[in-house]
Amino acid sequence: MSSSLLLQTTITPSLSFSSSVSSSIKYRTVFNPTRNARRIAPIQAKIREIFMPALSSTMTEGKIVSWIKSEGDLLSKGESVVVVESDKADMDVETFYDGILAAIVVGEGETAPVGAPIGLLAESEAEIEEAKARANNSGAPANSPAAVSAPAPVPEVSTPAPVVAAAPAVADGPRKIVLTPFAKKLAKQHKVDVNSVVGSGPFGRITPGDIEAAAGIVSKSVSVAAPVASSVAAVAEPVKAAVKSSFTEIPGSTVVPFTTMQAAVSKNMVESLNVPTFRVGYPVSTDALDALYEKVKPKGVTMTALLAKAAAMALAQHPVVNSSCKDGKTFTYNSSINIAVAVAINGGLITPVLPDADKLDLYLLSQKWKELVEKARAKTLQPHEYNSGTFTLSNLGMFGVDRFDAILPPGQGAIMAVGASKPTVVADKDGFFSVKNKMLVNVTADHRVIYGADLAAFLQTFAKIIENPDSLTL
């Protein structure tokens, strides 16, 4: 067995990630009859950490939904060990190695940051007790001797302040480095090797104070910790009271914490407020589209697939609307047209992605969409099936909503909100009145890269495709 453990998060198919190995090294003397010499051969007691995986680009922490295996269970390669709830889906974690689940560090219903150990895997029964001892010590502060000392015989550090780890402990085996963004910035600024720093944060996370201590900087926050703490506490109480008093508490109300998915949606919506957006509405006649829909509906084609196909074809003619700006300094012309479609599911909102929607024919697109919706509602989407969108479509027309504005998802240039198609009295150029079915389409766009004329031209092209939809079936 190799000295590293690979775990795989699966939905079908699955994703892989790795964990580190801690080793206790003993030595024995081995006689080589061919060389008549003695040499030292290491025997390693292998205890592997199972880390909380990053299951999406926006995931910062995960929640343990359930442990499929219990402590002491024998694990075989390919078996599912635990179910993790990310901000988008529930995913199984599988092991690529045989072993024993020696200890569960993070229990069901609890959360842990990405990269933190959630369980320990032992190679044999001989290492189970040592693994359990480590799991029990993981609840202690990260800078305590029990939490940071390696199993190899090295000098223990009893100082409670963050310290630089001794060379033998670092060389003992690879470990997962988890540090805050500000700590990472400080480490780069002061040229501190993060591999030699022991974190004092939760689950061994390296904090800015750890970096400052390693760089020999006396933090002002440490020297005045007591006065600051008391002053902050004194200020915090009135502020907390003021916040509480600003909302009327309704007797009998129940406070429900966000699920992981709801927290991710909330974070993305707040983040979108930093983007300067504008909105453009456009009425589109749908008589021809409605007639086409009646023909293709028996073949499994949905209205969502028709709208996604039409939007993709229009984006192919207006690539700037399919572009994105992520750093405020440059923008990217995306090479693929990936239409993300908003889907409401129990406990949240997710946007499955139809990749290369402009290149797929209508029937394949509809089949793909049906599969994505089923996986979304079962919470089994793979990350690339919900985080690779370049343009988003939100359709509330099936609920009779005639118009609404959509919030721009972070990392995209535009989102289209489609309302219901309703009979509308219109006048032609000769002044004659007639009744036609019309729907109102509103597009919210990032004004840093997309301008009013760009969006107007795109909507005109989209309207022409909807009003003459024969090209959708080609």
Side-chain angles (χ1 to χ4, degrees), residues 241-413:
V243 172
K244 279 189 175 182
S245 63
S246 63
F247 298 97
T248 302
E249 293 187 5
I250 307 300
S253 299
T254 302
V255 177
V256 180
F258 277 167
T259 64
T260 307
M261 179 178 290
Q262 289 171 331
V265 172
S266 175
K267 177 178 176 292
N268 286 339
M269 295 302 96
V270 172
E271 184 179 337
S272 69
L273 296 176
N274 297 321
V275 179
T277 59
F278 72 107
R279 296 164 179 80
V280 175
Y282 201 94
V284 181
S285 296
T286 63
D287 289 315
L289 181 68
D290 293 337
L292 175 63
Y293 178 56
E294 291 302 319
K295 291 181 181 179
V296 298
K297 184 178 179 180
K299 299 179 181 180
V301 176
T302 64
M303 181 59 72
T304 296
L306 286 167
L307 294 172
K309 180 67 175 178
M313 293 174 64
L315 288 171
Q317 300 181 46
H318 304 275
V320 69
V321 184
N322 192 53
S323 66
S324 58
C325 175
K326 298 179 181 179
D327 59 4
K329 299 177 182 179
T330 61
F331 68 99
T332 303
Y333 280 103
N334 295 300
S335 58
S336 301
I337 297 176
N338 301 334
I339 305 297
V341 184
V343 174
I345 62 176
N346 185 25
L349 175 73
I350 197 167
T351 52
V353 176
L354 290 165
D356 296 317
D358 57 319
K359 299 175 183 177
L360 294 178
D361 69 59
L362 183 61
Y363 302 101
L364 285 176
L365 197 67
S366 297
Q367 182 180 350
K368 179 67 175 176
W369 176 242
K370 182 180 179 181
E371 294 172 357
L372 288 171
V373 170
E374 290 176 352
K375 294 174 73 174
R377 288 175 177 161
K379 300 182 73 174
T380 57
L381 285 171
Q382 296 183 67
H384 74 272
E385 292 177 318
Y386 57 74
N387 63 11
S388 59
T390 59
F391 180 91
T392 297
L393 173 68
S394 182
N395 179 18
L396 292 180
M398 71 282 290
F399 298 110
V401 176
D402 60 353
R403 69 184 68 191
F404 68 101
D405 290 329
I407 299 177
L408 182 67
Q412 294 186 19

Side-chain angles (χ1 to χ4, degrees), residues 125-295:
E125 293 183 359
E127 291 84 41
I128 292 180
E129 290 304 319
E130 182 182 348
K132 288 183 176 180
R134 289 193 197 178
N136 292 333
N137 291 336
S138 66
N143 56 346
S144 66
V148 301
S149 59
V154 295
E156 293 188 355
V157 180
S158 58
T159 307
V163 295
V164 178
V170 175
D172 186 45
R175 64 185 178 93
K176 182 72 175 181
I177 303 298
V178 184
L179 67 165
T180 64
F182 185 51
K184 184 177 181 181
K185 180 179 179 181
L186 284 177
K188 184 177 180 181
Q189 178 181 344
H190 298 294
K191 298 181 179 179
V192 174
D193 181 9
V194 295
N195 292 298
S196 64
V197 178
V198 175
S200 63
F203 300 98
R205 182 183 290 268
I206 297 174
T207 66
D210 299 332
I211 298 298
E212 290 177 344
I217 301 173
V218 179
S219 176
K220 294 181 179 179
S221 60
V222 174
S223 61
V224 294
V228 170
S230 59
S231 61
V232 169
V235 174
E237 288 303 322
V239 172
K240 188 184 293 185
V243 172
K244 279 189 175 182
S245 63
S246 63
F247 298 97
T248 302
E249 293 187 5
I250 307 300
S253 299
T254 302
V255 177
V256 180
F258 277 167
T259 64
T260 307
M261 179 178 290
Q262 289 171 331
V265 172
S266 175
K267 177 178 176 292
N268 286 339
M269 295 302 96
V270 172
E271 184 179 337
S272 69
L273 296 176
N274 297 321
V275 179
T277 59
F278 72 107
R279 296 164 179 80
V280 175
Y282 201 94
V284 181
S285 296
T286 63
D287 289 315
L289 181 68
D290 293 337
L292 175 63
Y293 178 56
E294 291 302 319
K295 291 181 181 179

Side-chain angles (χ1 to χ4, degrees), residues 32-73:
N32 187 327
T34 60
R35 297 185 181 179
N36 194 26
R38 296 167 65 88
R39 67 184 179 88
I40 301 299
I43 301 176
Q44 295 188 342
K46 298 173 183 176
I47 299 175
R48 298 182 172 89
E49 294 177 327
I50 304 174
F51 291 118
M52 174 64 71
L55 303 177
S56 73
S57 58
T58 58
M59 179 176 170
T60 58
E61 64 177 19
K63 180 180 179 180
I64 303 298
V65 177
S66 63
W67 281 94
I68 301 173
K69 297 295 183 179
S70 303
E71 289 186 356
D73 285 354

